[in-house]
Amino acid sequence: MDRIAEFRKWKVQCLSKADLSRKGSVDEDVVELVQFLNMRDQFFTTSSCAGRILLLDGGINGFEVQKQNCCWLLVTHKPCVKDDVIVALKKANGDATLKFEPFVLHVQCRQLQDAQILHSVAIDSGFRNSGITVGKRGKTMLAVRSTHGLEVPLIHKGKLMVTEEYIDFLLNVANQKMEENKKRIERFYNCLQHALERETMTNLHPKIKEKNNSSYTYKKQRNQEKARSQCITKENVKELENDDDDVGINITIFPEDY
């Protein structure tokens, strides 16, 4: 079986499976984006989360919450208010932690070139911790992610360690991050549509395609500012410049079958 046929087989198998996430469906804020990608021949999504605020009660390894072993006291994909958190905290018995997890999207791509297009769009949209992994069997995965998360312990051994005023402050921070997260998702979707439109036009003109395929890294460095000017409004430039995440393509080759 050739690579393209195998990719099609993987896509059919993945999209026909039941959604095993806790929610059981794609988050509202990314439904259109996920559908757009899955309608393209060269992509399909394997998992996604639009971003969420969590309150978890359970085992903690250092400051890292092991979500699979904890009780989810509260989860929302919308801005959160203090009263909801206070009520949820009353149910905590162990170590409760407030978290904000930003948007994450995993996309399997038909070939590396397709993944590189998505990666470039993700970086230019503010998701600067995005990366590509290539499996031994040829599976090429693109992860869209950023590092503007939040994780703060609130209760230790059943005892509240902070004031309600501080909880209110944390929620303001988390809600601001949620709003920024939503803007980045919209920016990514808009830039993605433009990028794939350009790719379609390139494929219709072989001479342009040959020129554009010379070097992904060189092209990305050379045209990064141009791409941003097309997809990012002036009010978003400052926030992207202040993002401390590392910029660059991250390709990992899996040592085992994937």
Side-chain angles (χ1 to χ4, degrees):
M1 185 182 298
D2 62 39
R3 285 289 177 84
I4 294 179
E6 190 171 25
F7 176 81
R8 290 172 180 164
K9 178 183 176 182
W10 287 334
K11 182 171 183 175
V12 170
Q13 290 176 342
C14 180
L15 297 184
S16 63
K17 292 180 180 178
D19 190 328
L20 299 179
S21 65
R22 284 175 176 263
K23 184 179 178 183
S25 62
V26 177
D27 296 336
E28 180 182 351
D29 287 340
V30 294
V31 167
E32 192 173 348
L33 169 61
V34 168
Q35 291 176 342
F36 176 77
L37 284 167
N38 288 333
M39 288 175 61
R40 310 287 299 201
D41 292 338
Q42 66 270 46
F43 306 116
F44 67 90
T45 61
T46 60
S47 65
S48 64
C49 178
R52 59 193 179 187
I53 295 174
L54 298 165
L55 185 61
L56 304 174
D57 181 27
I60 297 181
N61 181 14
F63 289 102
E64 182 180 355
V65 176
Q66 306 298 316
K67 288 188 293 186
Q68 64 272 24
N69 298 322
C70 0
C71 174
W72 293 45
L73 301 175
L74 180 148
V75 56
T76 178
H77 298 274
K78 304 294 182 181
C80 190
V81 297
K82 183 182 69 174
D83 289 346
D84 291 340
V85 173
I86 297 300
V87 171
L89 283 173
K90 294 178 181 179
K91 304 174 185 177
N93 296 313
D95 295 342
T97 299
L98 179 72
K99 297 188 68 177
F100 167 72
E101 296 180 340
F103 169 66
V104 63
L105 175 70
H106 293 95
V107 183
Q108 187 166 333
C109 307
R110 186 168 56 190
Q111 55 188 350
L112 183 58
Q113 180 182 346
D114 300 320
Q116 289 170 336
I117 293 172
L118 291 190
H119 181 266
S120 180
V121 171
I123 295 297
D124 291 336
S125 302
F127 297 103
R128 301 192 177 188
N129 197 34
S130 299
I132 299 171
T133 57
V134 180
K136 187 176 180 181
R137 293 176 55 197
K139 288 186 179 181
T140 302
M141 299 292 301
L142 183 281
V144 180
R145 58 199 176 210
S146 63
T147 58
H148 70 294
L150 178 71
E151 182 172 331
V152 182
L154 300 181
I155 288 181
H156 179 57
K157 295 182 179 180
K159 180 181 178 181
L160 183 64
M161 307 301 292
V162 299
T163 64
E164 290 193 14
E165 182 180 4
Y166 186 64
I167 292 174
D168 194 37
F169 166 75
L170 288 176
L171 288 177
N172 285 332
V173 174
N175 289 336
Q176 289 173 9
K177 288 179 177 289
M178 181 73 81
E179 184 62 30
E180 167 59 20
N181 181 72
K182 186 174 181 179
K183 290 179 181 178
R184 292 190 187 190
I185 294 173
E186 294 173 351
R187 192 183 307 146
F188 174 72
Y189 186 27
N190 290 333
C191 289
L192 177 61
Q193 293 179 84
H194 290 308
L196 294 182
E197 286 174 5
R198 289 194 298 270
E199 180 68 10
T200 299
M201 292 300 297
T202 297
N203 290 336
L204 295 176
H205 299 83
K207 290 184 179 181
I208 297 177
K209 183 176 181 180
E210 181 179 351
K211 180 180 179 181
N212 287 347
N213 286 340
S214 59
S215 172
Y216 166 72
T217 303
Y218 174 73
K219 175 184 174 183
K220 181 179 182 300
Q221 292 175 344
R222 184 183 177 202
N223 295 332
Q224 188 175 45
E225 293 303 322
K226 182 178 179 181
R228 288 189 181 195
S229 66
Q230 294 173 339
C231 297
I232 301 173
T233 58
K234 290 182 179 180
E235 58 266 24
N236 292 324
V237 171
K238 184 175 180 181
E239 63 195 30
L240 290 180
E241 289 177 345
N242 292 335
D243 196 326
D244 292 330
D245 299 343
D246 292 335
V247 180
I249 186 168
N250 172 27
I251 299 181
T252 301
I253 308 298
F254 285 152
E256 302 176 353
D257 289 346
Y258 175 67

